[in-house]
Amino acid sequence: MDEKILIEKALSMLKYSYAPYSKYFVGAALLTEDGKIYTGCNVENVAFGPSNCAERTAFFKAVSEGEKKFSAIAIVGGPNGKTESFCAPCGVCRQVMAEFCGRDFKIIMAKNPDEYKIKTLEELLPESFNPQDEIGN
């Protein structure tokens, strides 16, 4: 999969972002191992706790449809939807990624289809607690 296609899908989600409180609009596009793309945007709530990030929206949509194997995610975002800097996933989103993805899962943080950087989940969440670890042994 071309990173630029994934970035463009993430950019297209900015228009659906519901961020009346932070004014920080985020879009995401999640790629499954078999080439399907699931998109998401952030959805805020005045109580903050019920808010959901774009990345988790994409993951939850995919998992709710039976997907559990992923290879990459593109994330874009910024104040009022202006993607002038790289938008990294929050800690909660990183932990959700660790639940479903290997340490080599690619996280594409982009300003636009020509300006992006790619990190692995291992780089952004080193020594994470994940399902691959032996629990209780």
Side-chain angles (χ1 to χ4, degrees):
M1 168 59 66
D2 182 0
E3 287 88 3
K4 292 182 181 194
I5 293 170
L6 212 53
I7 293 165
E8 288 170 0
K9 293 275 190 188
L11 285 165
S12 75
M13 292 307 296
L14 291 172
K15 66 184 171 210
Y16 300 114
S17 178
Y18 179 74
Y21 309 105
S22 72
K23 309 281 191 259
Y24 199 91
F25 296 78
V26 182
L30 176 64
L31 180 66
T32 66
E33 285 186 358
D34 63 356
K36 293 180 191 168
I37 297 174
Y38 289 84
T39 56
C41 64
N42 58 324
V43 180
E44 293 182 347
N45 185 286
V46 70
F48 296 118
S51 297
N52 202 48
C53 298
E55 302 92 304
R56 283 184 282 142
T57 299
F59 267 95
F60 296 162
K61 282 170 64 176
V63 171
S64 73
E65 294 184 24
E67 300 288 348
K68 292 192 180 73
K69 294 184 179 182
F70 307 100
S71 58
I73 191 167
I75 307 164
V76 298
N80 297 310
K82 295 184 176 124
T83 59
E84 297 171 350
S85 61
F86 297 111
C87 182
C90 74
V92 174
C93 288
R94 293 175 197 202
Q95 188 59 50
V96 168
M97 291 174 194
E99 182 69 23
F100 296 103
C101 306
R103 288 174 164 76
D104 60 345
F105 177 73
K106 292 180 185 177
I107 300 165
I108 305 161
M109 297 165 285
K111 296 180 186 180
N112 58 59
D114 296 316
E115 291 181 90
Y116 61 91
K117 58 184 175 180
I118 301 173
K119 299 279 186 177
T120 64
L121 182 57
E122 175 67 21
E123 290 174 299
L124 294 185
L125 191 64
E127 300 182 36
S128 66
F129 184 70
N130 62 58
Q132 293 81 25
D133 295 329
E134 291 187 37
I135 299 172
N137 293 330

